[in-house]
Amino acid sequence: MFVQQLVNGLMLGGAYALVAIGYTLIFGVLNLLHLAHGEVFMVGAYVGLALTLAGVTPWATLGGAMLAAAALGVVVERVAFRPVRARGSHVTPLMTTIAVGLVLQHTVVKIFGAEPVAFPAPFASTALALGPVTLTTLQLLILGTSLGLMALLEAFLRATPMGMAIRATAENPTVAGLMGVNVSMAIVITFAIASALAGAAGVLLAWNFTALSPFFGVKVGLKGLAIMLLGGLGNVTGAMVGGLVIGVVEVLSVAYLASSYRDAFAFAVMILILLVRPTGLLGARLQSG
Amino acid sequence: MLSDHAVSIVIFAGIDVIMALSFFLPASAGQLSAGQGGFMALGAYTSAYLSVHHQTPFPLALAAGGLVGSLVGLAVGFPALRLRGLYLVLVTFGFGEMVRVFFLNVPAFGGPAGFAGIPPATTIWYVLGLLVVLAYFFTRVGGSRMGRAFTALRDDEAAAEAMGVNSTYVKLAAFATGGAIAGLGGGLYAHYTLFIDPEAFGIGRSLFVMLYAVFGGLASFWGSVAGATILSVLPELLRWVKDWREILYGLLVLTMMLVRPQGLLDAALLARLSRGERAAARG
């Protein structure tokens, strides 16, 4: 029973981690919060829905949602971040991204309606019994995809020139620029990657919950913020670990406590972390503002 | 005189202004709170509970809501002593969500079904009266020792401390007062809508409160007044676009923040306005 809950939690947490990684990548590079990231995630899920309804294969659905979300992320950077970056205020981007989130949310409401819609399963899932644990092939696909994407990201950041440019920009944009890094390009690529991961998470969570609503992004977006804090702002590995931890905690709290508290745990953990260890579990560069 | 619809627009706009001011006060000391919806919820539920279960007179219930808001504000202020900038935004986010989940889970407050049967007590005079008191308070505090300490702390914390500003005391005072104002706003809201549920005070509320104040400009409390008034009346003006309303609203706010990132009323505009006033007084 416990092991089963643990596996369910890891599956949920993997998808959460993908959202949180996006937040933390953007925060790491720009030191700014992207409050429309949850909406990018939600739009990704709806693109997935449209593709599924058009009869596209599950892998193409996932890929299409990622591409669409990446394109959207680049647009958000261009519209809500770049014009106000020079001012160096961290408040203005909060406002511009709230406004962008509002526009995205209500555009989806306009196209798909405000009511939750059913998200068809990608394929007829079969159950596999592994000792005491029962896994469906769909669960395996969700967990495997999120872990695979995280591994790919880790490899990209460590081993490619663009990955190195992004890490250098996160370390210090001015010095990175002086060393010949195209900082603007690194920022655009960061948004594209962060948003593509959010789009993937959208489709994976929609497969998991088999339903979708235009307000789905707010909840998951908030959870992503909490996870980013748990792992340490700007710390990609921290976001991965934090996502899995929050997923497991949430599933266990539903199984052994009242389900209505499930959302409280992420924030209780987040506040505790901020009070006890403001740099997150795995540490982060402390920002003064 | 005013139609019922007009009265409701004025009352909701007034409550939005009160909420924006509750954000502005700590913000003027450099403390950004993304959890004002949480304080509003505390004030709303406290005053509603007193009105319904103890038949407390409205002004007293309202004051109790403000008191709870300020006490919790003090409690939130302590962690805020260690946190700055976006870290503080994030922890106050978390605080707002905790409050929401709390009211969602306590049966005495109705849980997810909400809290109904609140007696109607908020009138346009209560709202306008509180606004006048707040306007007086903010004009008085601006030039006072405390007001200057707020500004000093916002501009440069280390320099303010070196000049003898007790930053711990000032920050806690800022949070407690902001919490009290939001609690009063919540009480007025509850006794006008007559029904409250936790979702009304969620993250959406907190972000809009922040948006009102920043949209108007953080240079003076008049910015919060202008921002909240414009943004809460704007949906009424956009009725003709029907279901494009929210999209257009978002686009307008975005455009405005890009054109005037410092907000509607910045220091330069305020200086020009007050010079104009003085010139008018002389002429």
Side-chain angles (χ1 to χ4, degrees):
Chain A
M1 179 63 192
F2 179 76
V3 184
Q4 178 74 56
Q5 300 292 359
L6 209 64
V7 173
N8 292 348
L10 285 177
M11 190 188 69
L12 196 61
Y16 285 167
L18 290 180
V19 179
I21 289 169
Y23 276 114
T24 219
L25 273 177
I26 293 170
F27 190 90
V29 168
L30 287 180
N31 289 330
L32 294 173
L33 280 179
H34 177 6
L35 289 182
H37 194 60
E39 314 313 326
V40 171
F41 153 89
M42 179 272 295
V43 169
Y46 269 93
V47 170
L49 176 66
L51 289 173
T52 311
L53 293 180
V56 173
T57 63
W59 289 117
T61 300
L62 194 65
M66 287 177 74
L67 275 178
L72 182 60
V74 172
V75 171
V76 172
E77 193 271 335
R78 186 51 71 96
V79 170
F81 283 93
R82 188 169 300 189
V84 292
R85 212 169 78 209
R87 275 191 87 240
S89 155
H90 59 247
V91 184
T92 320
L94 292 179
M95 300 302 125
T96 52
T97 50
I98 291 173
V100 167
L102 203 63
V103 172
L104 291 178
Q105 204 177 68
H106 287 278
T107 308
V108 170
V109 168
K110 191 131 178 51
I111 299 172
F112 293 91
E115 298 303 312
V117 288
F119 199 103
F123 49 82
S125 189
T126 50
L128 310 168
L130 303 168
V133 183
T134 315
L135 268 177
T136 65
T137 39
L138 178 60
Q139 286 180 313
L140 270 181
L141 174 73
I142 295 174
L143 186 59
T145 309
S146 46
L147 292 179
L149 285 173
M150 286 188 243
L152 271 178
L153 174 74
E154 197 66 41
F156 169 80
L157 287 177
R158 291 203 185 288
T160 64
M162 187 37 87
M164 203 191 284
I166 288 174
R167 282 187 292 134
T169 309
E171 190 77 35
N172 187 328
T174 317
V175 175
L178 291 173
M179 296 293 156
V181 170
N182 185 342
V183 172
S184 292
M185 188 47 120
I187 291 172
V188 170
I189 298 288
T190 304
F191 269 84
I193 291 172
S195 308
L197 293 177
V203 172
L204 295 179
L205 278 181
W207 279 342
N208 182 36
F209 292 130
T210 65
L212 200 52
S213 121
F215 310 105
F216 187 35
V218 181
K219 254 204 163 107
V220 177
L222 275 172
K223 224 160 265 172
L225 278 178
I227 293 166
M228 166 174 75
L229 266 168
L230 179 63
L233 299 187
N235 186 327
V236 174
T237 320
M240 293 175 184
V241 177
L244 297 174
V245 169
I246 293 287
V248 169
V249 166
E250 194 178 306
V251 168
L252 290 181
S253 72
V254 173
Y256 297 104
L257 294 157
S259 67
S260 52
Y261 278 105
R262 65 187 294 170
D263 295 330
F265 276 94
F267 300 104
V269 168
M270 162 176 153
I271 291 184
L272 208 68
I273 286 284
L274 277 166
L275 297 183
V276 179
R277 196 174 151 75
T279 52
L281 282 183
L282 301 187
R285 290 176 302 129
L286 252 182
Q287 306 297 331
S288 61
Chain B
M1 236 175 67
L2 285 175
S3 71
D4 283 352
H5 182 60
V7 169
S8 86
I9 293 175
V10 173
I11 287 181
F12 280 122
I15 292 172
D16 283 340
V17 172
I18 293 168
M19 290 307 300
L21 289 173
S22 85
F23 171 86
F24 171 79
L25 192 96
S28 68
Q31 314 295 304
L32 295 180
S33 163
Q36 292 310 103
F39 295 111
M40 189 182 184
L42 289 166
Y45 274 99
T46 306
S47 62
Y49 189 85
L50 289 175
S51 292
V52 171
H53 293 293
H54 299 280
Q55 286 81 42
T56 312
F58 181 50
L60 220 60
L62 205 55
L67 183 68
V68 170
S70 80
L71 290 178
V72 176
L74 206 58
V76 174
F78 275 103
L81 296 174
R82 295 178 48 183
L83 301 165
R84 284 178 203 176
L86 290 175
Y87 277 87
L88 184 58
V89 169
L90 285 167
V91 82
T92 46
F93 254 138
F95 159 75
E97 280 301 289
M98 297 288 288
V99 172
R100 188 179 66 84
V101 174
F102 171 79
F103 285 115
L104 215 48
N105 283 285
V106 179
F109 293 112
F115 193 79
I118 307 166
T122 301
T123 60
I124 196 167
W125 302 114
Y126 269 106
V127 176
L128 294 180
L130 181 59
L131 282 175
V132 170
V133 171
L134 286 175
Y136 178 74
F137 168 76
F138 275 101
T139 32
R140 295 290 294 171
V141 97
S144 75
R145 193 182 160 79
M146 198 57 158
R148 279 178 281 128
F150 277 20
T151 314
L153 208 56
R154 182 191 61 192
D155 290 346
D156 189 330
E157 189 169 337
E161 288 224 329
M163 300 302 283
V165 171
N166 182 342
S167 70
T168 304
Y169 175 71
V170 174
K171 281 183 186 175
L172 289 179
F175 263 100
T177 321
I181 299 174
L184 291 172
L188 289 173
Y189 177 86
H191 289 81
Y192 188 69
T193 59
L194 313 185
F195 168 81
I196 48 177
D197 70 345
E199 303 308 322
F201 309 108
I203 190 65
R205 170 81 62 180
S206 297
L207 288 182
F208 265 92
V209 167
M210 191 190 226
L211 181 64
Y212 293 156
V214 177
F215 182 90
L218 292 176
S220 143
F221 79 96
W222 289 113
S224 300
V225 176
T229 309
I230 292 171
L231 288 184
S232 65
V233 175
L234 188 60
E236 293 298 323
L237 304 179
L238 294 180
R239 270 182 189 283
W240 54 278
V241 293
K242 305 217 169 65
D243 51 351
W244 288 95
R245 189 158 74 157
E246 283 86 358
I247 299 175
L248 189 59
Y249 185 92
L251 289 175
L252 283 174
V253 171
L254 177 65
T255 314
M256 167 67 197
M257 288 316 298
L258 293 179
V259 175
R260 270 182 97 80
Q262 75 278 34
L264 212 53
L265 296 179
D266 61 352
L269 184 60
L270 282 168
R272 221 172 45 231
L273 286 175
S274 70
R275 262 205 310 278
E277 235 168 64
R278 251 177 276 138
R282 268 201 308 274

